[in-house]
Amino acid sequence: MNTQPTLEKEGGKAGTADVPQSSDGLKAGLKNRHLSMIAIGGVIGAGLFVGSGSGIAAAGPAILLSYALVGAMVVFVMRMLGEMAAARPSSGSFSAYADVALGRWAGFSIGWLYWFFWVVVLAVEATAGAKILESWVPAVPQWGWALIVMVVLTATNLGSVASYGEFEFWFAGIKVVAIGAFVVIGMLAVFGVLPGSDNPGAGFAHLTDSGGFFPMGAGAVLTGVLMVVFSFMGSEIVTLAAGESEDPQKAVTKATNSVIWRIGVFYLGSIFVVLTLLPWNDKSIVDKGSYVAALDSIGIAHAGQIMNVIVLTAVLSCLNSGLYTASRMAFSLGRRGDAPKAFAKTNARGVPTAAILGSVVFGFVAVFFNYKWPDTVFAFLLNSSGAVALFVWLVICVTQLRMRGIILRESPEKLVVRMWLFPYLTWATIVMIVGVLGYMVYDGGSNRDQVVLSLLVAALVIAISLVRQRFGTADRTAELSERA
């Protein structure tokens, strides 16, 4: 009789998760300070700086509720993922857990979909960074800057995991300091106590003085959800990185417990400052961007260039983490026999060279598509990966429903992080995510295209996994599960 898969670390037996030297070939080169900053910076993408103005224009002050709803969803998903990752750190994170809890088809499918999502993000962020750099040094063409950025960050990731951690530590640190300073300076200006500020200091009046808190109606909150949800992507990266840290269980526990205040301060706090410094319908919020408009209202000189530096930092951070994440997912898939075996090999420094190069090659191809066919081929890639992150969150929820029982049965002492109100809050989160996907279809336009195309790509990947499983072409090479 077959039993549920036992819970083991990739390349080693259960109970080895606390060994600093990873037994799967990766090296524990990330320090606790690296993991802490990756956790803090992981939820701060360029989308927060660039896309928040459109959300404010669509929902008014009620966009705060949109951010709060999505933030709560991310907190719950991270809590579930933290429960599994603290019990069993893995380079494949949720893909490896789905493999154990739901079946090989689930681990294969969600792993490749997540890899696809991040290699497309590489192209998006490389192009965004190149545009900023070209505006500073126009002598170098945009494609040249994109190439330079990709090559530099590829070299960083090929060096060692410590190199990635160090770069990300400083990239994330700049973002954190910038937003922290923005919130503090902005709140002083809101109450009229910032010396030399040009802002009238209206307190909280702007939250209701231009049509009330719901100027576009309560339904606009849901529209706002669709516009802000993708700026939260990347919070799950820390659980992949934990497998290469000095103390995986401690790092995951700390990151999971701190996600609430991170979202509260960096997302809700900064958007709250924007909405209290300016009326929500001020045209400069859309024309200049919400943060630049807010800084201009205070009277800070060169606000646009300051934000360009911060946005470039966010872009480089996202590129750096995206390449790392895609390569580690490819590595994990290789370990489980779901990707070329070369992806599972590491060099003397514990770096999965083939997995990194395989990921970056597709990223370079996507960058080329973005320049050559931005409205056709690249638009298809972008839309077909657009809803994948929501699929990932959904799989995390369903996986956690099964993994709780597996952990309790095999190693209950490792259940140091627990999902609140299990299983009721897990089911509630599932309903929330399905609701967002359903509303994207109902909303129509590009949102519907993203869901439909992402579903088609997901169906194709699942079909491939089932065919491989059916005809026995998938060779089980990792020890994630064993059957009695």
Side-chain angles (χ1 to χ4, degrees):
M1 185 176 85
N2 287 344
T3 60
Q4 285 286 356
T6 58
L7 195 60
E8 296 184 68
K9 179 164 170 49
E10 289 180 25
K13 298 294 183 185
T16 65
D18 56 348
V19 179
Q21 178 66 43
S22 175
S23 57
D24 58 10
L26 299 175
K27 289 191 176 180
L30 292 177
K31 299 178 180 179
N32 286 334
R33 67 181 177 88
H34 293 153
L35 262 292
S36 296
M37 197 56 74
I38 290 170
I40 293 172
V43 293
I44 309 172
L48 174 63
F49 302 106
V50 178
S52 54
S54 299
I56 292 172
I63 195 68
L64 286 171
L65 296 182
S66 303
Y67 274 100
L69 284 171
V70 179
M73 191 163 64
V74 172
V75 167
F76 298 153
V77 170
M78 279 299 294
R79 186 74 182 184
M80 287 180 257
L81 187 53
E83 176 181 296
M84 297 182 286
R88 188 183 174 285
S90 167
S91 59
S93 187
F94 48 82
S95 173
Y97 309 142
D99 195 302
V100 173
L102 304 179
R104 301 240 21 228
W105 68 271
F108 176 95
S109 302
I110 205 65
W112 276 114
L113 285 171
Y114 195 64
W115 177 88
F116 174 57
F117 170 80
W118 278 109
V119 292
V120 173
V121 167
L122 290 181
V124 174
E125 299 297 336
T127 302
K131 288 180 179 177
I132 294 175
L133 290 167
E134 186 188 29
S135 70
W136 295 344
V137 186
V140 179
Q142 188 176 323
W143 66 266
W145 280 119
L147 180 65
I148 291 170
V149 166
M150 291 281 278
V151 168
V152 169
L153 293 181
T154 300
T156 299
N157 277 265
L158 286 172
S160 68
V161 70
S163 299
Y164 156 73
E166 200 64 32
F167 266 70
E168 191 58 24
F169 176 81
W170 291 105
F171 286 157
I174 292 172
K175 290 188 291 185
V176 169
V177 170
I179 294 182
F182 175 80
V183 171
V184 171
I185 293 172
M187 288 306 295
L188 291 175
V190 164
F191 292 105
V193 295
L194 182 68
S197 173
D198 295 338
N199 193 278
F204 300 144
H206 288 321
L207 294 176
T208 56
D209 63 5
S210 298
F213 190 75
F214 297 96
M216 310 299 287
V221 173
L222 291 177
T223 302
V225 164
L226 302 186
M227 302 183 76
V228 307
V229 66
F230 299 104
S231 65
F232 283 84
M233 303 309 178
S235 54
E236 64 285 333
I237 291 174
V238 68
T239 63
L240 280 84
E244 296 177 79
S245 68
E246 297 169 339
D247 189 345
Q249 190 176 78
K250 180 180 178 181
V252 169
T253 303
K254 184 177 180 180
T256 303
N257 291 337
S258 65
V259 71
I260 298 176
W261 72 260
R262 286 186 277 131
I263 289 175
V265 171
F266 298 129
Y267 279 85
L268 287 172
S270 60
I271 298 300
F272 179 81
V273 167
V274 172
L275 289 167
T276 48
L277 284 174
L278 293 165
W280 71 271
N281 54 359
D282 191 303
K283 292 183 178 180
S284 64
I285 291 179
V286 174
D287 295 340
K288 298 180 180 179
S290 56
Y291 290 82
V292 173
L295 291 174
D296 278 345
S297 77
I298 296 173
I300 295 180
H302 310 295
Q305 286 303 316
I306 292 172
M307 285 309 304
N308 271 340
V309 172
I310 296 171
V311 170
L312 179 63
T313 303
V315 164
L316 295 177
S317 172
C318 192
L319 261 173
N320 194 39
S321 290
L323 181 53
Y324 171 84
T325 304
S327 65
R328 287 338 184 249
M329 187 57 75
F331 170 81
S332 179
L333 288 166
R335 291 284 299 175
R336 287 177 275 148
D338 291 333
K341 291 183 179 180
F343 284 3
K345 296 179 180 179
T346 58
N347 61 21
R349 297 184 302 277
V351 175
T353 306
I356 292 174
L357 293 177
S359 300
V360 80
V361 163
F362 193 96
F364 276 119
V365 171
V367 170
F368 173 74
F369 287 159
N370 196 3
Y371 291 129
K372 188 69 175 177
W373 301 289
D375 299 322
T376 52
V377 179
F378 188 73
F380 172 80
L381 290 177
L382 199 60
N383 282 327
S384 58
S385 66
V388 166
L390 287 169
F391 296 167
V392 168
W393 291 353
L394 190 60
V395 169
I396 290 172
C397 295
V398 177
T399 299
Q400 191 260 341
L401 287 171
R402 297 289 301 278
M403 282 293 282
R404 169 67 74 91
I406 296 173
I407 297 171
L408 284 175
R409 185 167 58 252
E410 297 180 357
S411 49
E413 73 282 358
K414 292 186 177 181
L415 199 63
V416 294
V417 177
R418 289 176 178 262
M419 177 58 183
W420 308 294
L421 299 176
F422 179 83
Y424 308 109
L425 202 49
T426 299
W427 279 110
T429 308
I430 290 173
V431 171
M432 289 171 66
I433 296 171
V434 172
V436 171
L437 288 168
Y439 192 73
M440 286 177 72
V441 174
Y442 170 79
D443 190 57
S446 62
N447 287 321
R448 179 180 295 167
D449 292 343
Q450 287 186 33
V451 175
V452 172
L453 289 176
S454 296
L455 282 172
L456 288 175
V457 171
L460 176 62
V461 175
I462 291 172
I464 293 172
S465 70
L466 293 176
V467 168
R468 293 176 79 250
Q469 197 169 338
R470 172 68 177 81
F471 291 97
T473 57
D475 176 29
R476 190 60 156 169
T477 59
E479 296 82 17
L480 279 174
S481 64
E482 65 183 17
R483 300 190 181 276

